[in-house]
């Protein structure tokens, strides 16, 4: 389901929304005014935010009057400071919502005679949010078509079940990609060389029926994103886009695959190579400084890509060293290389982070 982005919302769009009578939907709601300090309004505020988060996420627009579920006219807020309202909202969410405050972004839009406040609520990918004031009455809410209602027992149960399914789907995707590297069926074949593979998989990749806009990666042509310290080239493929260093030895310097659903995969050959004092003993050191530098570069590249792709919510981060049997479990340069412990496993993995 398509959700407006905050950077799309400006004064002109607000006027069009009112003029064209945009309808409310599961991901869009209009509010004529901000909440008062009464318990009734506080409860309404918590319900509005949690309902969006528990369904598909969406946008709340404060300062637009609706009639019969459609925007009918501007009702600009006057004499208020958007940042102050949002600060209080965050405080209320932190105190009265469990297990934690939903993720929100805010934008103040100047219009004639006042402001409109836009709040974007991210969809929950870690189970449903519940809310309740001091009376201990805990409630779960959800959006439906153009309204808000309380979740049923089955709704709550399904939401918790879906959380586990999404997380398992992300991990299954990582396992599937690792198997491709092991069988030399990945886009880049590293053969017998030890290979480092890093995955950053947003859970939204497996829960939202939408793809990311890969055209924004054209910004890479400016050299903003770099692998191995050099500018990167873009190579479209069936899965999305592949970035590789703009050099002839790109296989050793790494590849960055960006998938159409927002997942990111880095892979590179890391050995074996001979050490200065042990030229007769080519090895791969697991804590090799060159390897660590490659990992740092890859993570930097991934972090730069995430805001460009506008992926949301939590991610699974996985690190694997393939073809690692015989790799030296020591730092670089090891003083006693010949006596350092050696891996007897074909694959080493750091536990996934979430």
């Amino acid at each position: 389901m398509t959700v407006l982005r905050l950077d799309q919302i400006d004064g002109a769009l607000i006027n069009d929304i009112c003029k064209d009578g945009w309808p409310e939907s599961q991901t869009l709601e209009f509010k004529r005014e901000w909440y008062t300090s009464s318990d009734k309004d506080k409860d309404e505020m918590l319900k509005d935010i949690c309902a969006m988060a528990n369904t598909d996420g969406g946008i709340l627009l404060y300062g637009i009057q609706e009639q019969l579920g459609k925007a009918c006219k501007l009702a600009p807020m006057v004499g208020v400071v958007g940042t102050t309202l949002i600060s209080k909202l965050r405080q209320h969410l932190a105190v009265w919502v469990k297990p934690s405050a939903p993720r929100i972004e805010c934008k103040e839009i100047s219009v004639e005679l006042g402001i409109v406040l836009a709040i974007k609520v991210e969809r929950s990918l870690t189970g449903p949010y519940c809310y309740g004031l001091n009376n201990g009455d805990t409630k779960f809410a959800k959006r439906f078509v153009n309204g808000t209602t309380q979740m049923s027992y089955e709704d709550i149960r399904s939401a918790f079940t879906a959380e586990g399914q999404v997380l398992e789907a992300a991990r299954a995707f990582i396992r599937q990609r690792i198997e491709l590297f092991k069988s030399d069926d990945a886009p880049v074949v590293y053969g017998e060389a030890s290979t480092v593979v890093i995955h950053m998989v947003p859970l939204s990749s497996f829960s939202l029926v939408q793809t990311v806009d890969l055209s924004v990666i054209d910004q890479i042509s400016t050299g903003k994103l770099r692998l191995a310290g050099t500018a990167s080239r873009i190579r479209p493929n069936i899965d999305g886009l592949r970035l590789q260093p703009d050099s002839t030895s790109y296989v050793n310097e790494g590849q960055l695959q960006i998938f159409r659903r927002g997942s990111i995969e880095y892979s590179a050959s890391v050995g074996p190579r001979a050490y200065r004092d042990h030229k007769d003993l080519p090895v791969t050191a697991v804590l090799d400084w060159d390897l660590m530098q490659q990992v740092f570069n890859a993570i930097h590249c991934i972090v730069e890509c995430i805001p460009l792709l506008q992926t949301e919510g939590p991610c699974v981060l996985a690190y694997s060293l393939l073809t690692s049997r015989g790799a030296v479990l020591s730092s670089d340069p090891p003083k006693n290389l010949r006596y350092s412990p050696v891996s007897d496993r074909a694959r080493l993995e750091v536990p996934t982070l979430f």
Side-chain angles (χ1 to χ4, degrees):
M1 185 170 294
T2 302
V3 180
L4 279 174
R5 302 196 313 264
L6 282 186
D7 61 4
Q8 295 175 317
I9 303 175
D10 55 19
L13 181 62
I14 293 295
N15 288 327
D16 287 343
I17 288 173
C18 296
K19 184 175 105 177
D20 298 338
W22 280 32
E24 290 184 316
S25 69
Q26 198 161 285
T27 59
L28 180 63
E29 184 173 5
F30 306 122
K31 294 285 186 180
R32 187 172 64 86
E33 57 191 5
W34 192 253
Y35 311 96
T36 69
S37 58
S38 69
D39 282 353
K40 179 181 177 181
D41 266 21
K42 287 178 183 175
D43 188 81
E44 183 75 10
M45 172 186 65
L46 299 174
K47 181 178 74 171
D48 290 338
I49 300 293
C50 289
M52 282 278 188
N54 289 342
T55 314
D56 287 309
I59 295 283
L60 292 155
L61 289 175
Y62 297 84
I64 296 180
Q65 186 169 331
E66 61 84 21
Q67 188 173 21
L68 299 178
K70 293 184 178 182
C72 61
K73 68 177 181 178
L74 269 174
M77 295 189 290
V78 182
V80 298
V81 179
T83 53
T84 301
L85 298 179
I86 296 307
S87 177
K88 290 182 179 179
L89 170 61
R90 292 186 189 278
Q91 290 175 16
H92 294 330
L93 294 176
V95 172
W96 289 316
V97 174
K98 296 178 181 180
S100 60
R103 291 170 57 91
I104 61 172
E105 296 178 62
C106 312
K107 184 178 181 180
E108 185 177 304
I109 302 104
S110 295
V111 295
E112 188 176 359
L113 302 179
I115 65 168
V116 168
L117 197 60
I119 297 180
K120 180 179 180 181
V121 183
E122 286 191 10
R123 175 182 178 175
S124 170
L125 297 172
T126 54
Y129 293 103
C130 65
Y131 66 96
L133 298 180
N134 299 325
N135 58 14
D137 183 16
T138 300
K139 294 172 277 190
F140 293 82
K142 68 174 184 177
R143 290 284 296 171
F144 72 97
V145 189
N146 61 346
T148 300
T149 187
Q150 296 298 316
M151 297 175 72
S152 66
Y153 170 80
E154 285 302 323
D155 289 332
I156 298 169
R157 182 180 177 183
S158 297
F160 279 112
T161 302
E163 172 195 357
Q165 292 173 340
V166 169
L167 184 56
E168 178 53 34
R171 289 173 172 160
F173 170 78
I174 293 171
R175 290 195 297 268
Q176 179 188 38
R177 294 297 301 176
I178 292 296
E179 289 302 316
L180 289 178
F181 281 98
K182 288 173 62 179
S183 60
D184 288 341
D185 290 327
V188 180
V189 177
Y190 295 100
E192 296 300 317
S194 292
T195 306
V196 62
V197 184
I198 301 173
H199 288 98
M200 177 71 81
V201 182
L203 296 192
S204 58
S205 298
F206 299 92
S207 62
L208 305 179
V209 187
Q210 62 184 38
T211 58
V212 298
D213 182 7
L214 292 179
S215 66
V216 298
I217 302 300
D218 287 339
Q219 295 184 38
I220 295 169
S221 63
T222 66
K224 181 179 179 180
L225 300 186
R226 296 173 179 272
L227 290 168
T230 61
S232 301
R233 291 184 292 170
I234 303 172
R235 292 288 184 269
N237 58 23
I238 192 170
D239 292 319
L241 294 175
R242 188 169 79 244
L243 279 67
Q244 60 190 46
D246 194 9
S247 66
T248 56
S249 59
Y250 63 84
V251 171
N252 291 327
E253 293 171 348
Q255 309 276 306
L256 197 71
Q257 174 69 45
I258 303 173
F259 295 87
R260 299 182 188 279
R261 299 293 294 274
S263 297
I264 304 173
E265 173 186 271
Y266 172 81
S267 63
S269 169
V270 295
R273 67 185 180 85
Y275 285 80
R276 184 180 62 184
D277 298 330
H278 302 276
K279 295 182 180 178
D280 60 329
L281 187 62
V283 297
T284 296
V286 173
L287 300 181
D288 186 305
W289 172 248
D290 289 341
L291 169 57
M292 291 299 102
Q293 194 60 52
Q294 281 182 309
V295 171
F296 295 150
N297 287 342
I299 292 176
H300 173 76
C301 235
I302 289 171
V303 170
E304 290 285 351
C305 280
I306 288 174
L308 294 176
L309 297 174
Q310 297 185 338
T311 52
E312 298 179 344
C315 300
V316 174
L317 176 64
Y319 172 93
S320 304
L321 182 65
L322 309 182
T323 321
S324 59
R325 184 172 283 113
V328 173
L329 305 178
S330 183
S331 59
D332 174 32
K335 293 181 179 179
N336 298 302
L337 188 59
R338 294 181 186 278
Y339 305 103
S340 298
V342 174
S343 170
D344 60 355
R345 299 183 182 183
R347 171 174 162 187
L348 298 174
E349 291 186 348
V350 175
T352 55
L353 299 177
F354 172 68

